Amino acid sequence: MIKWLGIRWSFHPLFVLVMIASLATGFFSELLTLFLIVLVHEAGHVITARAFGWTVREVKLLPFGGVVEVDDASGLPAGQEALVAIAGPLQNLWMGLAAWGCGQLGWWDAEWAEYVWKANMMIGLFNLLPIYPLDGGKLLQAAFSYGFNYFAMMKWTARISIALSAMMIVFSLLIAFRPNGGIQLNLLAIGIFLLLTNWTYYRNIPYLFVRFLMHRDRVAARAAARGAYARPLFVSGKQPIGSVMRMLWREQYHLVYVMDPGGQGARVVPEERLIDRYLTERDPHRAVMELI
């Protein structure tokens, strides 16, 4: 692990295995090229994230890209998340076009130029697969933020990512049954990594959701700064407070209308009051009316 520009940069064990395999088979120049491509790809994420004022803590490099860890990611706007995600594949686009152009102009050996632009296209397109934490998965998550509440967004992102990761594993094994085929070990390893990552993500959703609630004050501050309308939520007084919390949307500030059991009236409660009660209440199944 090294520290550069105030950010920790580290190699994921999967990248280390690829490095060892490349060195053992004599593909040192290809390994160095892959490393530089991945580094520029991640630099695109980091530069864009810092332009938005994000605090980037660590970058973990993988054979197909990397994972940028930022502070309080759950409280960041979905639009910014999408732009940071797409910034990586855009680096592969210009690098691939530049390599292709160098080959066409005769500045590079044609075979080497072809390798570089194909490697860039492969890494860029692979990262656009809608599997978390790939860039495509983050774009999917950002898109879901406009169609689902935050809890449902996390669940659907994880479910789709798990399904597609499993399909990747199956595909890597089925290739072995083709004529002159063999198991695609690289694809298999990446598929297993993504499957385990998303399975862990799915199991940690309750804890990630609590972190999301702890940073809801930022949403309120942004809404107040731009004079945005509050989004009303109508709930029954008998509804468990845990289910009410799961109705919160990522970038919307809510006023919660708690209806009386008889439906004769409602109490208007700002979301931060309910969030505070939820975080301090030991029983998430208690009715909202009991807590206010």
Side-chain angles (χ1 to χ4, degrees):
M1 183 181 69
I2 61 174
K3 196 162 187 177
W4 181 45
L5 300 177
I7 303 170
R8 295 192 302 271
W9 298 74
S10 61
F11 293 98
H12 190 275
L14 190 60
F15 202 161
V16 176
L17 291 176
V18 173
M19 292 171 65
I20 294 173
S22 299
L23 290 173
T25 53
F27 290 98
F28 179 77
S29 58
E30 287 81 0
L31 170 64
L32 181 60
T33 302
L34 176 64
F35 170 74
L36 293 175
I37 289 174
V38 170
L39 190 63
V40 175
H41 176 105
E42 291 308 308
H45 292 310
V46 171
I47 292 171
T48 308
R50 284 194 159 185
F52 287 124
W54 294 14
T55 301
V56 180
R57 292 185 291 128
E58 184 175 0
V59 178
K60 293 182 180 179
L61 299 177
L62 289 145
F64 50 82
V67 178
V68 177
E69 295 185 2
V70 301
D71 286 336
D72 308 331
S74 59
L76 299 171
Q80 292 184 12
E81 182 181 33
L83 291 174
V84 171
I86 199 64
L90 286 177
Q91 308 311 308
N92 297 119
L93 178 61
W94 75 257
M95 285 191 291
L97 290 174
W100 178 83
C102 289
Q104 294 297 309
L105 294 172
W107 296 348
W108 285 7
D109 176 73
E111 185 176 348
W112 179 249
E114 182 180 9
Y115 170 79
V116 175
W117 75 256
K118 283 186 175 180
N120 272 285
M121 293 304 103
M122 180 187 68
I123 291 175
L125 292 175
F126 183 84
N127 270 278
L128 289 176
L129 291 175
I131 304 174
Y132 190 83
L134 300 180
D135 299 329
K138 293 179 180 178
L139 289 171
L140 179 70
Q141 186 169 267
F144 278 173
S145 297
Y146 295 104
F148 298 98
N149 58 55
Y150 191 80
F151 190 82
M153 177 270 290
M154 288 195 295
K155 290 187 69 174
W156 279 109
T157 299
R159 287 170 177 170
I160 292 174
S161 298
I162 288 172
L164 293 178
S165 299
M167 291 174 61
M168 185 183 299
I169 294 172
V170 172
F171 177 76
S172 67
L173 296 174
L174 288 178
I175 294 178
F177 295 97
R178 298 176 58 184
N180 300 321
I183 296 176
Q184 296 292 316
L185 292 178
N186 289 339
L187 189 61
L188 177 62
I190 293 173
I192 293 174
F193 165 76
L194 292 173
L195 180 63
L196 294 177
T197 298
N198 282 287
W199 179 249
T200 302
Y201 175 70
Y202 188 78
R203 294 187 62 183
N204 287 336
I205 282 178
Y207 308 104
L208 297 173
F209 184 66
V210 170
R211 187 179 68 177
F212 161 74
L213 294 177
M214 292 175 65
H215 298 291
R216 284 293 291 180
D217 55 333
R218 296 188 177 188
V219 176
R222 286 198 296 265
R226 65 176 186 266
Y229 290 104
R231 179 171 184 157
L233 291 179
F234 294 90
V235 303
S236 168
K238 295 182 178 180
Q239 194 167 338
I241 188 171
S243 68
V244 174
M245 292 296 95
R246 293 181 180 185
M247 298 171 64
L248 300 181
W249 287 61
R250 181 173 184 170
E251 294 186 61
Q252 300 285 338
Y253 177 77
H254 300 284
L255 290 176
V256 183
Y257 290 74
V258 183
M259 308 297 294
D260 290 335
Q264 301 299 318
R267 296 184 62 179
V268 183
V269 185
E271 67 168 53
E272 55 264 33
R273 183 178 174 188
L274 289 181
I275 291 173
D276 182 66
R277 293 309 304 267
Y278 175 78
L279 294 176
T280 56
E281 174 60 40
R282 294 183 178 181
D283 183 9
H285 301 291
R286 285 190 64 184
V288 176
M289 190 62 73
E290 295 179 21
L291 298 174
I292 61 174

